[in-house]
Amino acid sequence: MFAYQLRIAWKSIRRNLGHSLIVAGGIALGVAVSTLFATVRHSYAKDPLPGKSDSLFYVRLDSWDPHQSYPGDIGPPPQITYQDMAGIMRSDIPTHQSGMFKTSLYVFPPDASRGRPELEQIRLCFSDFFAMFDVPFRYGGAWDRKADAGPESVVVISEEMNDRLFGGENSVGKSVRIQDRQFRVVGVLDHWRPGVKFYDLTQFQVQAVEPVYMPFNWVRPMELRTAGNSDGWKSPSQFGFAGIFGSETAWIQMWVELPTADHLARYRAFLDAYALEQRKAGRFQRPLDNRVRTISQVMADFKIVPEEATATMMVSLLFLLICSLNLIGLLLGKFLARGAEIGVRRAMGARRLDVFVQHILECELVALAGGAVGLLLAAGGVELVNLWTKTMFQRSDFFQVDWAMAGFATSAALVAGLIAGLYPALRVCRIAPAVHLKTQ
Amino acid sequence: MLHMKNVSKVYRTEIVETHALADLTVHVGRGEFVAVMGPSGSGKTTFLNVAGLLDTFQRGEYLLDGTDVRRMRDSAMSRIRNRKIGFVFQGFNLMPDLDVFDNVDVPLRYRRLPARERRERIERALEQVGLSSRMRHYPSQLSGGQQQRVAIARVLAGDPALILADEPTGNLDSVMSHEILDLLERINEGGTTIIMVTHSAECAAHAHRQIHLRDGRMVEVDEPPSLVRGREPGLAPGLG
């Protein structure tokens, strides 16, 4: 019966093609606008590491000023100090863990023909970074823990950097000069485009991932400072570069992988014990407030999804609603005009439900066609937004229409079709058959 | 087959009340062929609509094949229309974008019959009306008489106990009209009850008896003896 009603609905669409195109166009417009703005919001809000995001945790410790809390309403400082990173990385509870920060250094092409040295963003991290975040490799792989300890002169570079420095060929084993030192390439990343740069949410989270990664412990020999945010409440006791390592300045992002609830409970206990131990040494004088948060939690804590994105999405949904409401009259006129056919079908034994389903199906078929066009328009709109934000974001692929958004567009179209068609379909199915037959 | 007692149907607007049926009492026995006559506005079509469960009524009693339809739900009425009643309209009322086969298929679809049975019924019905060769023609490709025969095939395919025909020859010339009336007579001879609304005395003469309506009331029952045939013994001829 469903297939029959689908066929009848399709015939009706073809019979009134112009009318159907107008209805589909109205829905396409609404779906395009709502999908565009939903995509903008979704690009910020989506799970950046599906399947793993619940076992990865961002660590924050409240080592802040005993006399006043960290500014704002986010609780403890967003990053931790070097001395705390060194302290908590002694734990063997996490299966992977890494402190990390971003710096800027000059990277030299192997020869002058490949351009001039450029100041590049470089992430200093531990080898666990790559396994923890499921970072894909095209060539080679991550450095090992021995290279962490050394530190050894090794780097991992992004595919873009590999294209620029080595023309895209397998560069594992080749040398690249960073500042005044030579580093050996041990790995080249494959295409890696997490939406939000989830592992560092402390600063402009939409930027692309860094093009170069090197062992964290190069921080001292190369006297590297963070190119990101740092927060402090107390002057270092020692002047100069060495002072930052024993200071209360927080500049390191700390991630751990805790695969089970038991790991998490034990790690929380470990952090509390660490903080209490530090309290005995005169630090951590504030009430205990150690945060171990999943990716989605920390994204919420740091308000990664801009309120404007949510607001514009809501407005765009209202626009879709208005588009749908405007189509009610059009569909009602169309359905009432075919009263004679409805009357005959009712006389032949069609129930109200049969008539209703047939007309709703017709609305939904038209809506799906409109939704498909709307999705294409939205995809075009998203590319325009990417072009518009390219300079600001330093990437042109942050906003993406993915399967989730295709699903959104389809659902939005179906809901719009239902809103537009519900009243007309109910109206025609409730009219007594004799009244329909009088209209012939 | 059909028993109406004191049935009233009033159309109300803000300024006027029209009594389309006023305490109408009619009895039609199984296998009868009854013609309903009367001037325009006498309530013929309203009677047919109420009889066919296409419209409601305010007062009275209506038993169709022994079933009280007064407080029946819409789905139950649809089921009765689908299984027990066949409609033949003056304007044929075929679906213009369905071919002959699919038009005849309409009531069978709502009966949710399996495809094979539907096909057999459709082919048989079209054969009965002599249109087997036009199965894939569209209504616009048929003459008026052929279209009405398709409409009758649509009824036959459903094998109803009661056929309600509203001016079935009203849009046809005299030759076509005779064809259709002959067809209806043959169907009636097979035991199907037929109630036919008509303005034409010539058409009405094909019926076993005639009911005359005026202002929604029955004013006369005319039973040409020469045409009465095959009626079940003991059936009341008119008023109940």
Side-chain angles (χ1 to χ4, degrees), chain A residues 21-331:
Chain A
L21 286 175
I22 292 171
V23 174
I27 289 177
L29 191 63
V31 169
V33 172
S34 58
T35 305
L36 171 60
F37 286 103
T39 300
V40 169
R41 187 187 182 283
H42 174 67
S43 298
Y44 284 99
K46 69 183 172 189
D47 184 348
L49 208 55
K52 207 165 182 186
S53 52
D54 287 340
S55 60
L56 295 178
F57 296 88
Y58 188 68
V59 180
R60 292 157 68 198
L61 304 172
D62 197 353
S63 60
W64 201 250
D65 184 351
H67 305 295
Q68 56 184 336
S69 59
Y70 183 79
D73 58 354
I74 64 163
Q79 299 173 103
I80 63 172
T81 64
Y82 177 84
Q83 56 180 323
D84 288 330
M85 182 203 78
I88 64 177
M89 279 191 68
R90 287 193 206 106
S91 169
D92 59 359
I93 298 168
T95 50
H96 295 104
Q97 58 183 331
S98 178
M100 63 191 78
F101 73 100
K102 177 181 70 175
T103 191
S104 295
L105 297 173
Y106 276 98
V107 176
F108 291 73
D111 57 71
S113 68
R114 297 200 183 273
R116 298 187 307 170
E118 292 205 20
L119 194 60
E120 299 287 358
Q121 304 260 297
I122 294 180
R123 180 147 296 264
L124 281 90
C125 55
F126 291 85
S127 56
D128 277 6
F129 174 93
F130 303 97
M132 187 160 55
F133 296 138
D134 285 343
V135 181
F137 280 88
R138 177 176 294 175
Y139 304 119
W143 60 80
D144 56 22
R145 288 187 174 172
K146 191 160 70 68
D148 276 328
E152 292 179 6
S153 300
V154 291
V155 287
V156 166
I157 60 176
S158 70
E159 61 173 343
E160 289 85 358
M161 183 58 75
N162 189 53
D163 288 345
R164 194 153 67 79
L165 297 182
F166 302 106
E169 65 186 32
N170 185 350
S171 59
V172 171
K174 292 190 175 174
S175 183
V176 57
R177 180 183 161 192
I178 298 175
Q179 295 290 90
D180 56 350
R181 290 174 190 263
Q182 292 293 332
F183 288 81
R184 179 170 51 88
V185 176
V186 293
V188 177
L189 298 187
D190 205 346
H191 189 74
W192 190 38
R193 296 282 187 281
V196 167
K197 195 162 81 177
F198 61 93
Y199 56 79
D200 185 359
L201 296 172
T202 59
Q203 192 189 35
F204 204 44
Q205 310 87 349
V206 298
Q207 282 183 330
V209 298
E210 290 82 4
V212 180
Y213 303 78
M214 66 166 60
F216 189 99
N217 285 336
W218 279 107
V219 62
R220 280 179 192 268
M222 292 182 75
E223 297 196 356
L224 300 176
R225 292 176 185 271
T226 179
N229 293 334
S230 60
D231 296 298
W233 57 276
K234 188 178 180 184
S235 299
S237 55
Q238 191 180 354
F239 290 108
F241 178 76
I244 64 169
F245 297 103
S247 76
E248 292 295 351
T249 302
W251 50 283
I252 292 169
Q253 304 98 48
M254 181 71 204
W255 285 91
V256 293
E257 183 172 354
L258 304 165
T260 66
D262 177 58
H263 281 83
L264 176 59
R266 285 193 292 132
Y267 191 68
R268 283 188 200 278
F270 162 78
L271 288 182
D272 287 346
Y274 170 80
L276 290 173
E277 180 193 308
Q278 291 296 309
R279 184 174 287 177
K280 286 179 194 164
R283 301 180 66 226
F284 284 82
Q285 295 302 306
R286 297 183 54 73
L288 271 186
D289 187 8
N290 303 321
R291 305 272 177 103
V292 186
R293 308 278 280 168
T294 62
I295 293 179
S296 56
Q297 287 170 334
V298 79
M299 283 172 71
D301 291 344
F302 291 169
K303 299 182 174 60
I304 296 307
V305 181
E307 287 177 355
E308 297 85 347
T310 305
T312 48
M313 187 187 77
M314 298 309 289
V315 171
S316 71
L317 286 174
L318 277 177
F319 178 72
L320 176 64
L321 178 66
I322 290 166
C323 287
S324 308
L325 293 175
N326 274 312
L327 297 173
I328 289 177
L330 212 56
L331 287 167

Side-chain angles (χ1 to χ4, degrees), chain A residues 1 4 7-8 11 15 341 344-352 354 358 432-434 437-438 440, chain B residues 11 49 54-55 74-75 78 81-82 87 89 91 93 95 97-98 102 105-107 109-110 112 138 154:
Chain A
M1 192 65 196
Y4 176 70
R7 196 174 131 220
I8 298 299
K11 277 181 178 288
R15 194 192 312 151
E341 181 192 324
V344 174
R345 286 191 179 280
R346 295 278 281 139
M348 300 293 131
R351 297 167 301 165
R352 279 182 183 149
D354 295 321
Q358 180 194 320
L437 288 167
K438 265 184 201 166
Q440 62 185 302
Chain B
Y11 292 112
N49 285 339
L54 296 174
D55 209 350
D74 176 78
S75 56
S78 298
R81 281 198 299 270
N82 183 248
F87 293 90
F89 303 98
N93 279 344
M95 316 282 174
D97 51 359
L98 298 184
D102 286 337
D105 194 22
V106 170
R109 286 284 188 172
Y110 294 118
R112 291 162 172 77
Y138 284 85
R154 182 169 63 184

